[in-house]
Amino acid sequence: MRAAQALCACVFALLPATAGAAGLVPVDVDRSAVDRSMAPRKLALLIGVSTYDDPLFTPLSFARADAEAMADVLADPRFGGFDEIRSLTTQEDTTADAVEAALDALLDGAGPEDTVLVYVSGHGTLGLDWQQQPELYLVATDTQADDLPRTALQVRELQDRIGDSAAKRRVLIIDACHHGAGKSKVAPETIARLRGIKGPVQPILRTPESGFEAHLFASTFGLPALEDPALGHGVYTHYLLQAMSDAAGRADRDADGLVSVSEAHDFARDHTVAHTAAVQVPRAEYRIVGREQIFLSGDEASRKQAEKALLYSFDDYYLRCSVTVDGEDRGMLPRGISLPPGEHEVVVSTPGGEVLASRRVRVTAGEVVDVRSLHTAQ
């Protein structure tokens, strides 16, 4: 919409004065205003659902506080510097229809150079599709446990809608879980049916496919997402907020003055695992091409030349695989590992000691290298 308006303004600005005779009047256009209207924007929709109509879904203590604190950090010019932020935290604003309408407004209004971020804190739940496979949902204020397809927000559909946005940079953050504990409630009959299914039970979620896209989850499927009164937030959200604000210097691995979405998640993941003694283990899915371009904190206009590159993997295939760089143990995956520019000997090994990759890699400042590319190139 704004691209069409700017185009029309430019066309009329270029019309000759004689056009007035044909009923068209030339106008003066503020070119700087046109430039501003076409500039990349950072847009966010933040949803915190604390109370529920269905008694199965007990009230949450900090979902509203999570969304409000995220709004504060994203709006702060020292940190997120987002241009437009909308928060949904009241009972009227967090019905399924209200959330759907707000999502449509956000995604339909985003342009190709924009960044869109959708954050949800609340209960998750679990249903079974027609093939008796698990389907993940986010619970709205008016969600009914016996009618999830029509009254809840399907996670996979939400992923698809964000992935289809015109915006080049897209972020989905979900602080919820779906297995029946923590920030999750599941109908007893669904739990009973799941126990009767033979073989592994794993929901199918969308993997980011294009542009620059990140899906961050407060917990791995089958594990809880927790609130903590001592923190006043969901645990993952608390540490994600820290990574974007007070602890930004520690989260910024490549020292470029910005906290990327993967850096923020790594910081929040490591601290969440430590805080909960690995009861809660966040996970992420990314689509990164070349140099990372999604930043949650810092001023991109004053970005420093990145001092390091990034070796990363958030693929469950490499879970608990260890990485050594130039003979030094750099920890276990999934996570990002910073590398100084130059040539390095990188070895990736399974927990049992099998070497999946052993290669010399040359990296430049700001480059992002996926562990999978080292493994498959063997």
Side-chain angles (χ1 to χ4, degrees):
M1 175 63 74
R2 66 191 181 111
Q5 291 172 338
L7 178 60
C8 288
C10 291
V11 169
F12 279 104
L14 294 173
L15 287 174
T18 54
L24 298 177
V25 179
V27 296
D28 291 327
V29 176
D30 183 342
R31 299 307 178 101
S32 63
V34 173
D35 290 341
R36 288 194 300 272
S37 73
M38 298 301 292
R41 299 173 301 163
K42 299 167 76 173
L43 316 172
L45 176 64
L46 313 173
I47 304 161
V49 190
S50 295
T51 58
Y52 305 87
D53 295 342
D54 190 317
L56 174 69
F57 306 116
T58 54
L60 289 170
S61 300
F62 304 114
R64 179 170 186 162
D66 288 344
E68 290 174 344
M70 187 65 67
D72 289 342
V73 171
L74 291 178
D76 194 317
R78 299 172 300 164
F79 304 131
F82 270 59
D83 301 288
E84 297 180 20
I85 297 172
R86 183 177 180 187
S87 299
L88 307 180
T89 58
T90 67
Q91 286 185 292
E92 295 77 13
D93 286 344
T94 53
T95 64
D97 285 347
V99 172
E100 295 275 3
L103 279 168
D104 288 342
L106 171 74
L107 300 176
D108 291 347
E113 296 304 315
D114 292 339
T115 297
V116 295
L117 182 150
V118 176
Y119 169 89
V120 185
S121 178
H123 272 309
T125 193
L126 184 66
L128 296 175
D129 65 14
W130 65 277
Q131 294 180 308
Q132 299 300 293
Q133 294 301 306
E135 193 73 72
L136 306 187
Y137 293 91
L138 297 172
V139 182
T141 292
D142 58 346
T143 293
Q144 297 299 307
D146 60 358
D147 192 9
L148 295 178
R150 290 196 299 176
T151 64
L153 305 170
Q154 187 186 83
V155 171
R156 186 168 45 170
E157 180 181 331
L158 177 59
Q159 290 180 296
D160 287 342
R161 289 171 68 180
I162 291 173
D164 290 339
S165 169
K168 182 167 65 175
R169 292 168 289 274
R170 304 178 290 271
V171 184
L172 171 64
I173 306 173
I174 296 178
D175 193 336
C177 56
H178 303 85
H179 81 306
K183 297 175 71 173
S184 170
K185 296 295 179 182
V186 178
E189 57 269 25
T190 301
I191 294 175
R193 288 164 64 191
L194 283 169
R195 288 172 179 160
I197 295 175
K198 296 180 179 180
V201 177
Q202 187 72 24
I204 299 174
L205 295 177
R206 179 183 180 276
T207 300
E209 297 174 352
S210 62
F212 295 86
E213 190 171 351
H215 299 175
L216 311 184
F217 300 92
S219 192
T220 302
F221 179 69
L223 297 178
L226 304 174
E227 294 188 315
D228 188 336
L231 302 177
H233 290 293
V235 176
Y236 176 74
T237 291
H238 170 79
Y239 289 112
L240 195 66
L241 290 167
Q242 279 203 333
M244 296 161 58
S245 56
D246 297 339
R250 288 184 285 150
D252 179 16
R253 287 187 309 263
D254 62 7
D256 65 350
L258 302 171
V259 178
S260 70
V261 67
S262 68
E263 289 173 329
H265 173 77
D266 272 2
F267 181 94
R269 178 187 184 276
D270 290 351
H271 283 77
T272 297
V273 170
H275 186 92
T276 65
V279 170
Q280 179 176 342
V281 181
R283 62 164 298 177
E285 296 282 349
Y286 291 107
R287 168 74 176 179
I288 301 174
V289 181
R291 192 183 183 109
E292 191 164 357
Q293 292 193 22
I294 304 177
F295 303 103
L296 299 184
S297 183
D299 180 8
E300 294 178 57
S302 59
R303 179 181 188 176
K304 304 172 188 175
Q305 174 65 35
E307 296 181 358
K308 299 178 181 179
L310 179 66
L311 174 71
Y312 85 101
S313 176
F314 294 95
D315 190 327
D316 287 344
Y317 181 84
Y318 300 103
L319 184 66
R320 299 187 66 228
C321 287
S322 60
V323 178
T324 63
V325 178
D326 301 328
E328 177 187 354
D329 182 8
R330 297 297 302 276
M332 292 191 299
L333 300 173
R335 62 176 299 122
I337 296 170
S338 60
L339 302 173
E343 193 169 272
H344 302 279
E345 184 71 34
V346 178
V347 179
V348 181
S349 305
T350 68
E354 177 188 356
V355 175
L356 297 180
S358 179
R359 293 190 59 197
R360 291 202 68 79
V361 179
R362 178 172 291 279
V363 295
T364 58
E367 184 179 2
V368 179
V369 179
D370 190 342
V371 168
R372 185 189 295 113
S373 69
L374 306 184
H375 180 198
T376 57
Q378 288 290 98

